[in-house]
Each structure stands twice: as C-alpha cells, then as structure tokens.
Amino acid sequence: MGRAPFRGALPAYRQDMRDPDSPRIPRRAEPRLPLRSDPRLPSTPGFWRSPLRGPWFTSVLGLVLLVGITVLFVTGLVSYAAYNPDLAPVNDKTPDKGILGFYLFSWPTDPHWLYRLNQGVHVTLGITLIPVLLAKLWSVVPRLFALPPARSLAHALERISLLLLVGGGLFEFVTGVLNVQLDYVFPGSFYPLHFYGAWVFFAAFVAHALLKMPIALRNLRHLREEKNDLVSPRPAEPTVSRRGALWFVGGGSLLLFATTVGQNFDGPLRRTAFLAPHGGGEPGSGPNGFQINKTAAYAGIDAAQTDEDAWRLVVTGRTGTVRLSRSELLQLPLHSAALPIACVEGWSTSDQWWRGVRLRDLAALVGYDTDPPDVFVESLQRHGAFRKAALRANQVADPHSLLALYVNGEELSPDHGYPARIIVPAAPGVLNTKWVARMTFGDL
C-alpha cells in the first residue's frame, strides 16, 4: 500500500530524496504578497476586473438615485401623515417617534385622489428603482472591501455612513417589496420598521450626497477622466459599453414599471401588474367587482353578525347613544359620492359610486348639529390591525364622507363591508373601516 501524500507544512529545507545521505540545503522562502496586493482577495483592486466600473458610470446612477430616493422619502412621509397618527393611538403605528413626527398635519380631504396619487407614486417608483440601486451597489462594491478600513477619522466616518447607506437602502427596499407582496416575514410591525429605517437611511443618504455631489457633477462634465479607485488596474475585455450597461439597467427599471403600474388602474391594465398581489383579474363581476384587500372570511365576519335582525350601529356622542338598524339608516337622508379606494400597498381603484348617510348627519343625531368633532370607529372584526380607526373633524365634516350602504347602485357585498362601511375622500384604505359596529363622536 502506498504512503499517503504529506499534507502538512513544508520543511524548512530541501533534500535529494533519491540519496538519503545528501546534504540538507536550506529551503528558500517563497515570497508572499502583502494582504492588500494579493489579486485573489477582494480587498485588492486587481480582484475587481470589470471595465465598466468607473466614476462616470457610478455618478450617473448616483444622480438618478438622488432624485428618485428624495421623491420616495417625501412621498413616504406624506403617506404616513395621511393616517393622522397624532390623532389617536390606534392610528399611530410608530410610538415614541419624538421629533421625527414634526411634519405631521391634519390630512386634507381635497383633492379626493390625493392619497391614491401619492401612494401609487411611492410604491411604483420604489419598485422601478430596484435595478438602479443594485447597479449602483455593484459599481462601488470594491470600496466595501478596501483596506485599511479607516485611513483617518474623516475616512472612518465616511465608511460608517456608507455602511448605513448600503444597509439602510437594502432594508428599506426589501421591507417595502415584502409589504407590497403581503409577506410579513420580518420580525415586528412593518410600520415602525420602515419608518425608523427610512430616517436612518435618508440621513446617511444626505450625508453621502453632500460629500459626493461635487465629485459626481465633475465626473459627468469630464467623461474621459476615469481615474480613481473604482477603475480596475487590469481590466478584463469589455463585453458591453458603459452606455449599453446603463440601457440594460434602464430596461430593467422599465420592465418593473410596466409590471407594477397597472395596479393603480381598473380594467385590462390591472392585469399587467404581475408583481402586485392584486394584479390579476377583478374579484368577481358586477357593481361590487372591484379590488379588495381583506375579505369577510379573512376578517372572521360571518352572516349571523351582519344579519338584519342582529346588526345594529351604535352611535355615541354628547347627548347619549342611539342604536340604528340598517333599515333605520335607510330612512335617513342618503347622499352619493364618487371616491376611489387606495391602499398602502400601492394598489387603488378608480372612482366608485357610494351611497349612504353622511358622517356629519350621524354626528348631528348625538348632539353635534354644527362643527362635528373627531370620531372613533370600531368594526365587527375582532383581530388584526385597523379594526379600529380614528377620523379627524375635517374628515367627518366633509360632505362626501359617508357611512356607505350601497356601491355602484347595489348593496355592499360582504367583502366590501356589508352592512355598512366608512368611505372618506383621500383617506388610506385601512381608515375606510368595513363592517362598522360602533361610532363614538367627540374629542379623542
């Protein structure tokens, strides 16, 4: 049986193995490359050989993200303001936000499509920017492995901001996409995670932009000056030009846009929204055949709770409490309003015709003949987020704010909130409470 090859360290000498009595000659030490110069390690520039990397390519992507992420941040803040989170604890999904809530204001009801537009832009733009973000990270990946980690205090601060920028950006985009897909695989609630993550990411983003903006503009003006640490010292043969790579990234963004934007519309265009959880055909047909986010079965609503003999709307206010059956509600003055449904996940419907009792008329039944106050709305739903919601006085007072009983000329279906639901102009879909059981008017 042959002897197994020796796999340990080499001896410090060499010897003629054919002559055991030959003199031992010291082995010459093999030269070792410094850690930062070994081309096999990602910490050396020679490891990264793509000829596409360079300041011009990175600067173009950076300027696109500068505009896009700024729009995302602003529309995100506006989206959260639409919940009126400082009105009541049930609306506030980011407790202890402190000074980060400085922007909050009373959400308006006009124009009635405001939230639909804002959230559609926020979600569609966020998904469209994914290829640009990934290409930007790819273009600067050599800097993430550069050694030494910090050459000076200023360089250390820049590396920390870069870590927060990359980590925060990936966190925000990943949690946003998972929320759109209704896949809550991350720990905790989406709202505080996305809210606080956005502030961390945007702070690092602003710091990075202030540092790099002059350099990026200079790189765009001098297209041939491709000399910095992103340029490979031994580039491989190019298979595509930098402009071709930009067209490739742009094509990816255009594809994501085309397969997402349809969720903001009704009709055939909605079927093109393959990446949206609500991008297929309409749910059913007829007057109630438009998009929903939460079915009656999912909410645990059964027919016994909504039966005409069992269901009563309890309205409480300054002068006491009244209990109204659906037939009694139908005896009150009914009004109509054409309003959309818009959800935080980005999908929305076109205007639907709703008919029901004005919220301000219900407030008048319990002592608020003029200047109706805020209202606290409770659903028959027993579990899950937003089974309770608060609406501001300006939302209650709007003549288009209804306790809807009909939609598009037909009774509400169970999935659309039968026997009664809230519909308010420009409000997020989750505040348009379905299967309403109780309404409490007064200062919250």
Side-chain angles (χ1 to χ4, degrees):
M1 175 179 268
R3 179 178 296 177
F6 178 74
R7 300 185 183 276
L10 291 175
Y13 56 86
R14 57 187 175 89
Q15 183 179 22
D16 189 343
M17 302 303 295
R18 293 169 298 181
D19 184 3
D21 297 326
S22 63
R24 297 182 178 184
I25 304 172
R27 178 179 296 276
R28 179 178 298 174
E30 295 292 336
R32 291 190 177 182
L33 293 173
L35 190 61
R36 293 170 56 189
S37 303
D38 190 340
R40 298 170 298 179
L41 298 177
S43 57
T44 180
F47 180 86
W48 309 98
R49 301 193 61 198
S50 173
L52 296 180
R53 289 191 179 92
W56 183 81
F57 186 72
T58 298
S59 298
V60 171
L61 297 172
L63 289 176
V64 173
L65 289 175
L66 176 65
V67 176
I69 289 176
T70 300
V71 174
L72 282 181
F73 185 72
V74 172
T75 53
L77 292 182
V78 171
S79 175
Y80 193 68
Y83 286 76
N84 286 319
D86 59 342
L87 175 61
V90 294
N91 287 26
D92 187 4
K93 299 303 177 182
T94 57
D96 304 320
K97 58 185 177 294
I99 62 172
L100 299 183
F102 71 91
Y103 63 90
L104 300 178
F105 54 92
S106 296
W107 185 249
T109 57
D110 186 53
H112 69 276
W113 41 259
L114 179 59
Y115 186 76
R116 181 187 185 192
L117 173 65
N118 182 84
Q119 200 62 16
V121 169
H122 183 74
V123 172
T124 304
L125 178 61
I127 293 177
T128 301
L129 285 177
I130 289 176
V132 184
L133 176 70
L134 295 178
K136 170 70 172 178
L137 294 179
W138 174 86
S139 73
V140 298
V141 70
R143 288 178 176 166
L144 300 180
F145 294 91
L147 295 176
R151 296 188 296 269
S152 64
L153 178 60
H155 185 242
L157 293 176
E158 181 182 349
R159 293 296 293 272
I160 292 173
S161 70
L162 187 62
L163 179 63
L164 294 175
L165 180 68
V166 173
L170 291 175
F171 178 83
E172 285 299 287
F173 276 82
V174 169
T175 55
V177 170
L178 289 175
N179 181 65
V180 169
Q181 298 299 324
L182 305 179
D183 290 329
Y184 302 110
V185 297
F186 41 81
S189 171
F190 165 76
Y191 293 96
L193 289 174
H194 205 66
F195 179 82
Y196 293 123
W199 278 107
V200 172
F201 167 59
F202 195 71
F205 178 75
V206 169
H208 187 75
L210 292 175
L211 289 172
K212 298 299 183 181
M213 176 66 75
I215 301 174
L217 294 176
R218 186 165 63 250
N219 289 332
L220 292 178
R221 287 196 297 266
H222 304 285
L223 302 185
R224 296 183 179 180
E225 292 187 4
E226 296 283 334
K227 299 177 181 179
N228 73 357
D229 58 331
L230 295 178
V231 180
S232 176
R234 52 188 195 98
E237 287 296 320
T239 57
V240 65
S241 67
R242 288 192 176 98
R243 284 186 171 82
L246 289 177
W247 277 109
F248 180 77
V249 173
S253 291
L254 184 61
L255 178 63
L256 290 180
F257 175 82
T259 53
T260 303
V261 71
Q263 67 178 338
N264 299 288
F265 305 95
D266 290 328
L269 192 58
R270 185 178 293 273
R271 296 184 178 91
T272 67
F274 301 113
L275 299 183
H278 310 284
E282 298 296 338
S285 60
N288 278 273
F290 58 94
Q291 195 60 60
I292 57 173
N293 199 31
K294 187 189 307 179
T295 65
Y298 176 86
I301 306 298
D302 57 49
Q305 294 174 282
T306 59
D307 182 80
E308 173 71 25
D309 295 329
W311 181 82
R312 294 292 184 273
L313 173 68
V314 180
V315 183
T316 301
R318 179 189 294 160
T319 58
T321 298
V322 297
R323 296 169 61 87
L324 300 167
S325 66
R326 197 171 191 278
S327 59
E328 289 172 327
L329 285 170
L330 292 174
Q331 300 304 312
L332 299 175
L334 301 183
H335 300 269
S336 298
L339 300 172
I341 292 288
C343 195
V344 67
E345 285 88 11
W347 68 264
S348 60
T349 72
S350 58
D351 290 354
Q352 311 295 324
W353 277 99
W354 307 90
R355 187 165 178 80
V357 182
R358 287 174 173 169
L359 298 188
R360 66 186 191 185
D361 292 342
L362 291 172
L365 292 178
V366 288
Y368 299 99
D369 297 318
T370 59
D371 297 327
D374 307 329
V375 64
F376 185 68
V377 184
E378 300 173 73
S379 172
L380 289 174
Q381 181 182 345
R382 298 300 180 190
H383 306 285
F386 292 104
R387 63 187 182 275
K388 301 176 182 178
L391 299 172
R392 283 198 184 276
N394 67 305
Q395 294 174 310
V396 176
D398 191 287
H400 296 106
S401 296
L402 304 176
L403 178 72
L405 306 172
Y406 296 91
V407 63
N408 298 324
E410 186 175 274
E411 282 189 346
L412 296 170
S413 68
D415 288 342
H416 280 297
Y418 180 87
R421 68 166 298 163
I422 299 292
I423 185 73
V424 173
V430 290
L431 297 186
N432 292 312
T433 308
K434 297 193 286 188
W435 314 292
V436 176
R438 178 182 292 271
M439 303 176 68
T440 304
F441 290 91
D443 296 331
L444 302 180

